[in-house]
Amino acid sequence: MDESPARGAAEAGGRLRRRLGTFDAVVIGLGSMVGAGVFAAFAPAARAAGSWLLPGLALAAAVAYCNATSSARLAARHPVSGGTYVYGREQLGPFWGFLAGWGFVVGKTASCAAMALTAGLYVWPEHAHAVAAAAVVALTAVGCAGVQKAAWLTRAIVAAVSAVLAAVVVSCLGSGSAEAARLDLGGDATLAGVLQAAGLLFFAFAGYARIATLGEEVRDPERTIPRAIPLALGITLVVYAAVAVAALAVLGPGGLARADAPLADAVRAAGVPELAPVVRAGAAVAALGSLLALVLGVSRTTLAMARDRHLPPVLAAVHPRTGVPHRAEAAVGAVVAVAAATADLRGMIGFSSFGVLAYYAVANASALTLTPAEGRPVRVVPVAGLAGCAALAFALPAASVASGAAVLAAGAAVYGVRRMLAGRRGPGGGADGSGTMRPPVGR
């Protein structure tokens, strides 16, 4: 869809510019999913599920597919920045939109710091925090320079990481150390263990939400987003399944569970130790790719919440030249840089998991309210997605459930206090209960 100069100038004042096609959207989704998770997530998942790691991966992919389908239909209906924050607000009401946005911004900000720290630990372990903070600053500057530049960098990152993963798969499956018997299902797993493994692996698929949160910058979103989301998810599933099979074939479930750097250990076990440094470099690049895509997504949800004055309105500004929410990106980058420079990796990830599953639960509930004319998916899809999100969330370790629930409760309390204060000021508030009118979200 071509933009006239007048339309482009109008959008520069407060709306984002539609510059991304299907290929760019798919690449951004892949940059979020084919990231650091594939280098690290299999070990804790194997500890939880044992030889049933592959069924856990399949379950995570099934829940992700339901979420992706619901998100794609909602993004086509509401093609503006904000993702499930907008969908929940428009389909379920302001509170549910706020709760989804709150969970996403807080949880994914922590994920940003975790990705930065992962890169730091691979690049320079003795100074991981300093490297992490520097990476956040650099990638935030790339995002502020324009979403197309970020998409171009993401293409390069996806290409490099894909090449590394292909080398891992080929070297492992082509070695004499690979044994098909190591893929057999044994009696070493429980239902709770498989669910927990699926919950851990789910977050490696969660990047397709970046496509939805960029909905205001995608050309022809009614067609592009429903195509890009399942395509990115399908490619990621194929990649992850190949990597999981390769790692299991040479390490077995026990060896994979004990690995600190699973893919580096896998290539060593396959008799190709010289590939291990390349894998480490690939892990660092993947973490940076995930970080770039995460900053893009979090800043767009921050923009949407700032437009509704749930966050400071100053963050709703869009740069007239680059057409990106530069203040939101800078604010997110600053918070992440501080967290990456000071926090512990495990502490940053802990409560993020629960919040992301809650975010997708709201997306599935929102999709259930669509009519067939509005593109509602087959009803079983959002129902299964909603149930799956709940099951995986509560299968996580108790500390993650408790901290995640506490964060959501704090968000609900903030929302309640703001509504109470707005009510005391009398009628005349906006549709979101904030006392101001939000921009229309239109189709």
Side-chain angles (χ1 to χ4, degrees), residues 22 25-26 29-30 33 61 64-73 75-76 205 207-209 211-212 221-238:
T22 300
V26 169
L30 289 176
M33 289 184 280
Y65 171 78
C66 294
N67 296 344
T69 301
S70 295
S71 297
R73 301 297 178 86
F205 291 104
Y208 52 80
I211 301 172
E222 289 83 356
R223 296 180 59 200
T224 298
I225 294 174
R227 289 178 179 177
I229 289 179
L231 185 57
L233 179 62
I235 294 171
T236 301
L237 174 59
V238 171

Side-chain angles (χ1 to χ4, degrees), residues 69-79 87 91 362-364 366-367 370:
T69 301
S70 295
S71 297
R73 301 297 178 86
L74 288 161
R77 176 69 180 169
H78 304 290
Y87 314 151
Q91 301 295 140
V362 174
N364 284 295
S366 299
L370 294 172

Side-chain angles (χ1 to χ4, degrees), residues 100-124:
W102 177 273
F104 182 86
V105 169
V106 174
K108 287 300 184 179
T109 298
S111 294
C112 288
M115 290 300 97
L117 282 169
T118 299
L121 288 168
Y122 273 99
V123 172
W124 198 356

Side-chain angles (χ1 to χ4, degrees), residues 39-40 43 122 251 256 258-268 279-280:
F39 291 90
Y122 273 99
L251 293 177
L256 184 57
R258 293 189 296 272
D260 292 326
L263 300 193
D265 290 354
V267 295
R268 291 192 189 96
V279 173
R280 293 178 64 87

Side-chain angles (χ1 to χ4, degrees), residues 19-411:
R19 294 176 168 177
L20 303 178
T22 300
F23 181 75
D24 290 326
V26 169
V27 169
I28 287 176
L30 289 176
S32 300
M33 289 184 280
V34 184
V38 72
F39 291 90
F42 288 122
R47 285 194 289 271
S51 62
W52 286 69
L53 173 66
L54 291 178
L57 178 64
L59 179 57
V63 174
Y65 171 78
C66 294
N67 296 344
T69 301
S70 295
S71 297
R73 301 297 178 86
L74 288 161
R77 176 69 180 169
H78 304 290
V80 294
S81 288
T84 299
Y85 166 68
V86 173
Y87 314 151
R89 184 190 71 192
E90 296 300 311
Q91 301 295 140
L92 301 175
F95 171 74
W96 295 106
F98 173 83
L99 198 64
W102 177 273
F104 182 86
V105 169
V106 174
K108 287 300 184 179
T109 298
S111 294
C112 288
M115 290 300 97
L117 282 169
T118 299
L121 288 168
Y122 273 99
V123 172
W124 198 356
E126 296 80 6
H127 300 280
H129 288 285
V131 173
V136 172
V137 172
L139 292 181
T140 300
V142 171
C144 289
V147 70
Q148 281 187 311
K149 292 183 177 62
W152 294 336
L153 180 57
T154 303
R155 288 184 192 180
I157 291 172
V158 169
V161 174
S162 298
V164 171
L165 295 178
V168 170
V169 172
V170 170
S171 63
C172 289
L173 295 182
S175 73
S177 303
E179 295 181 12
R182 294 188 175 122
L183 302 177
D184 293 343
L185 302 180
D188 56 342
T190 63
L191 176 60
V194 173
L195 286 173
Q196 186 171 121
L200 293 168
L201 291 167
F202 169 80
F203 302 103
F205 291 104
Y208 52 80
R210 301 302 84 71
I211 301 172
T213 55
L214 294 170
E216 197 172 319
E217 292 159 277
V218 173
R219 296 192 300 269
D220 194 9
E222 289 83 356
R223 296 180 59 200
T224 298
I225 294 174
R227 289 178 179 177
I229 289 179
L231 185 57
L233 179 62
I235 294 171
T236 301
L237 174 59
V238 171
V239 171
Y240 278 21
V243 172
V245 168
L248 282 171
V250 295
L251 293 177
L256 184 57
R258 293 189 296 272
D260 292 326
L263 300 193
D265 290 354
V267 295
R268 291 192 189 96
V272 196
E274 60 272 17
L275 190 57
V278 178
V279 173
R280 293 178 64 87
V285 172
L288 294 176
S290 294
L291 174 60
L292 175 60
L294 281 167
V295 170
L296 286 175
V298 174
S299 63
R300 269 59 179 179
T301 301
T302 300
L303 166 72
M305 296 184 74
R307 285 171 171 171
D308 285 353
R309 297 183 180 272
H310 288 308
L311 291 175
V314 68
L315 299 178
V318 175
H319 196 281
R321 181 175 58 84
T322 61
V324 300
H326 57 296
R327 292 179 183 172
E329 287 203 21
V332 170
V335 172
V336 172
V338 171
T342 58
D344 173 72
L345 178 60
R346 291 184 179 180
M348 294 310 300
I349 293 175
F351 68 87
S352 173
S353 303
F354 191 90
V356 171
L357 282 164
Y359 172 86
Y360 285 113
V362 174
N364 284 295
S366 299
L368 277 171
T369 66
L370 294 172
T371 66
E374 294 171 332
R376 187 186 68 204
V378 179
R379 191 176 293 275
V380 68
V381 171
V383 169
L386 181 58
C389 286
L392 297 189
F394 287 101
L396 290 168
S400 297
V401 174
S403 58
V407 167
L408 293 181

